[in-house]
Amino acid sequence: MAFYVTTPIYYVNAEPHLGHAYTTIAADVVARHMRQRGEDVFFLTGTDEHGEPVAQVAEREGVSPRELADRNVVHFKQMVERLDCTNDFFIRTTDPEHEQAVREFMQGIYDRGHIYEGIYEGWYCPYCADFKTEQELLPGNCCPIHKIVIEKVREENWFFRLSAFQGELERLYAERPDWVEPRIRYNEALSFIKGGLEDVSVSRPKLQWGVRVPWDERQVFYVWFDALLNYYTALQYGPGKDVRATFWPPALQLIGKDILKFHAVIWPAMLMANEVELPRRLFIHGYLLMQGEKMSKTLGNVLDPFQVIDVYGVDALRYYCFREVSFGQDGSVSTEGFEARYNTELANEYGNLASRTLAMIERYRDGVVPQAELPEELGAEFDGLAGAVERHLDGVELTLALEEIWSRGVRRLNRYVEQQAPWKLAKDPAQARQLDRVLYGLAEGIRVVSVLLNPYMPTASSRLLAALGQQGGESLALENASLGSVPGGSRVGKLEPLFPKVEAVEAA
Ligand code: ME8
Ligand code: MG
């Protein structure tokens, strides 16, 4: 089955921070997991390059918006690469193919009579690229998100008849209660819709930096209309040919809660207006916080993912994001918390477990995994573990899946080593068969957890699998993630520490 997964496209008005890395890694975990299940995956990420957020910073820095975009997109592409993400395409909204496809799509909405000319007046935050209601403003007419003073603007532009889709949107929410998850976001979006929808402007008369409105060349499209369409246009040209027939609609769209309204209200209405099938599901995650505030380039309290990767490696970062903060909710990250999990969970519980197991197979069985029966004691936790992980990831519960692998797999194996004490069994020739069983059980155990952990920590898990003689695509297949699906007899290789001790990274 085809599985299309997307991340938001990030503004190129600054360099990426951990918040951007977060959604991108989450999508990659799901993409890798789905490939383990044999799905035909298309994974899209990219950058949002038009509109005021980019034009304003460019002006402040004295460069053209295109120069700014060209300069910053490099960092986002580098981020994706250094995060070990397996995206199938990286879209830039300045791609000429995207711009042309946006014009065609919007012309379609116009031709169907859902766009008209009007006058708009309202409080406008250029960082949000969005209007705020009087009630939303903080004292002193400040944007509630960016805390800057914003102004009332009045302009003539083109409007999308969002109000006309009120009924159809309410029906969508009634018929498909899992179309927006988690539930709290579904409720939030639905109550926004029920509060009454107003038409929204789709164009900007004052701005030059954007996609030209085909029926009114004086104006450019409001950046959000251009941006949302990336999910659709990318399939028209990204892989070098049009793959909409295979991959549309998206199976999963991941976003942060800051952009819920655009994705859960305006986006489906745009698709309805052009009679295009809706995405199957949106999953909305919370904020990564630093010192209690949303990590944000505007507020300046950001953690640099590159710096963390330099010191601890990318797997540790990928792991930490979903272990520390329950996916879906807000949660704090810190360098202290990171170091603690690195040392206790990654270096000790997983890394040492792997090294010890391989060392014992080397020492007691000349480096060959014994051919033995599986120890029944491990069955209780391991039976059905892969199925549980699958179910959690079907629900985009990245933290629950990881928790399950850790408690039922990694920690169970650590207890098992202590209980069985293979170093004692090795001293007693009468216990040889039991030692075979224990070592085989451990080898299978670390293999199974590595297959399950692979979407989260692709490098470390693959290195461990390779040391167990497991290489190539089949070794990662989820159907092999059960104890005993690989027989003993293979020769183990050398394994450098998976998570070596490192000097503490300086606080950001
Ligand atoms: O909004 N915690 O781009 P953007 C968690 N271009 N996630 C965070 C985060 C944090 N502290 N900070 C950022 C835009 N993110 C538009 C989107 S989509 C058609 C257009 C992540 O650069 C999260 O996914 O402001 C959030 O939704 C996104 O970055 C916003 O990135
Ligand atoms: Mg933002």
Side-chain angles (χ1 to χ4, degrees), residues 27-43:
D28 190 58
V29 170
V30 174
R32 285 175 182 269
H33 170 79
M34 287 301 169
R35 287 192 205 101
Q36 287 186 302
R37 285 159 69 166
E39 306 278 349
D40 185 11
V41 173
F42 195 90
F43 167 18

Side-chain angles (χ1 to χ4, degrees), residues 9 11 17 19-20 23 48 231 256 258-259 285 288 295 297:
I9 48 171
Y11 286 128
H17 59 71
H20 305 116
T23 320
D48 189 353
Y231 304 126
D258 48 342
I259 51 181
H285 65 68
L288 294 183
M295 190 184 295
K297 56 206 162 199

Side-chain angles (χ1 to χ4, degrees), residues 88-403:
D88 295 282
F89 186 54
F90 186 103
I91 190 170
R92 301 181 59 181
T93 54
T94 49
D95 291 343
E97 299 93 331
H98 167 78
E99 296 189 3
Q100 186 50 33
V102 167
R103 274 191 287 272
E104 284 163 17
F105 195 98
M106 295 305 291
Q107 183 74 49
I109 298 185
Y110 180 77
D111 292 344
R112 287 177 161 87
H114 302 301
I115 288 176
Y116 64 94
E117 200 166 22
I119 286 176
Y120 196 87
E121 196 172 41
W123 297 95
Y124 185 77
C125 171
Y127 287 103
C128 292
D130 191 15
F131 288 96
K132 304 284 151 186
T133 63
E134 202 86 35
Q135 296 90 304
E136 281 177 303
L137 296 183
L138 298 178
N141 302 332
C142 286
C143 166
I145 294 175
H146 295 98
K147 321 265 155 77
I148 55 162
V149 178
I150 61 176
E151 282 167 20
K152 202 166 204 173
V153 303
R154 179 189 157 83
E155 43 181 49
E156 225 172 81
N157 42 25
W158 294 95
F159 282 83
F160 173 51
R161 247 181 250 288
L162 182 62
S163 59
F165 293 91
Q166 169 113 17
E168 215 176 319
L169 284 167
E170 285 182 14
R171 250 191 324 279
L172 163 69
Y173 277 74
E175 283 166 10
R176 291 172 47 186
D178 55 358
W179 118 270
V180 174
E181 285 180 330
R183 195 67 186 177
I184 175 178
R185 302 299 161 216
Y186 167 97
N187 289 336
E188 201 177 314
L190 181 58
S191 81
F192 181 82
I193 294 166
K194 290 216 161 128
L197 295 177
E198 285 174 23
D199 295 344
V200 289
S201 72
V202 298
S203 65
R204 286 285 174 273
K206 292 195 202 89
L207 198 68
Q208 291 302 309
W209 181 236
V211 177
R212 296 263 147 225
V213 175
W215 61 88
D216 178 0
E217 293 280 334
R218 298 166 307 165
Q219 301 211 22
V220 298
F221 283 114
Y222 172 36
V223 64
W224 270 101
F225 282 82
D226 156 12
L228 286 164
L229 285 172
N230 90 87
Y231 304 126
Y232 189 72
T233 64
L235 296 186
Q236 292 177 253
Y237 71 94
K241 58 174 195 242
D242 192 331
V243 294
R244 280 178 293 179
T246 309
F247 290 107
W248 190 266
L252 175 64
Q253 301 206 271
L254 286 170
I255 59 166
K257 67 180 186 182
D258 48 342
I259 51 181
L260 173 70
K261 186 180 74 185
F262 293 102
H263 286 80
V265 182
I266 296 179
W267 174 225
M270 287 169 72
L271 294 169
M272 286 168 179
N274 235 359
E275 291 160 43
V276 174
E277 200 180 337
L278 302 188
R280 297 224 173 79
R281 183 155 57 142
L282 310 181
F283 188 93
I284 290 81
H285 65 68
Y287 290 153
L288 294 183
L289 311 173
M290 278 277 269
Q291 292 115 16
E293 286 266 15
K294 180 192 176 199
M295 190 184 295
S296 135
K297 56 206 162 199
T298 322
L299 299 176
N301 57 337
V302 300
L303 205 69
D304 177 0
F306 294 102
Q307 202 185 354
V308 178
I309 294 171
D310 284 343
V311 181
Y312 291 96
V314 61
D315 280 1
L317 177 66
R318 293 175 60 112
Y319 171 83
Y320 175 73
C321 285
F322 306 107
R323 191 79 171 130
E324 185 78 1
V325 178
S326 186
F327 196 62
Q329 292 161 25
D330 292 352
S332 292
V333 294
S334 66
T335 48
E336 297 76 21
F338 187 87
E339 279 153 25
R341 288 201 188 266
Y342 182 89
N343 289 322
T344 56
E345 295 174 3
L346 294 178
N348 266 333
E349 294 174 353
Y350 184 51
N352 275 349
L353 172 73
S355 317
R356 286 172 86 188
T357 301
L358 293 175
M360 290 188 291
I361 292 171
E362 192 63 56
R363 188 169 323 133
Y364 306 136
R365 290 295 179 262
D366 295 322
V368 177
V369 179
Q371 284 175 307
E373 285 159 41
L374 278 178
E376 280 156 22
E377 308 90 290
L378 291 176
E381 279 90 350
F382 274 83
D383 287 350
L385 176 57
V389 168
E390 231 174 285
R391 275 194 304 282
H392 286 314
L393 290 181
D394 276 337
V396 207
E397 294 284 7
L398 274 73
T399 303
L400 289 181
L402 194 50
E403 170 64 33

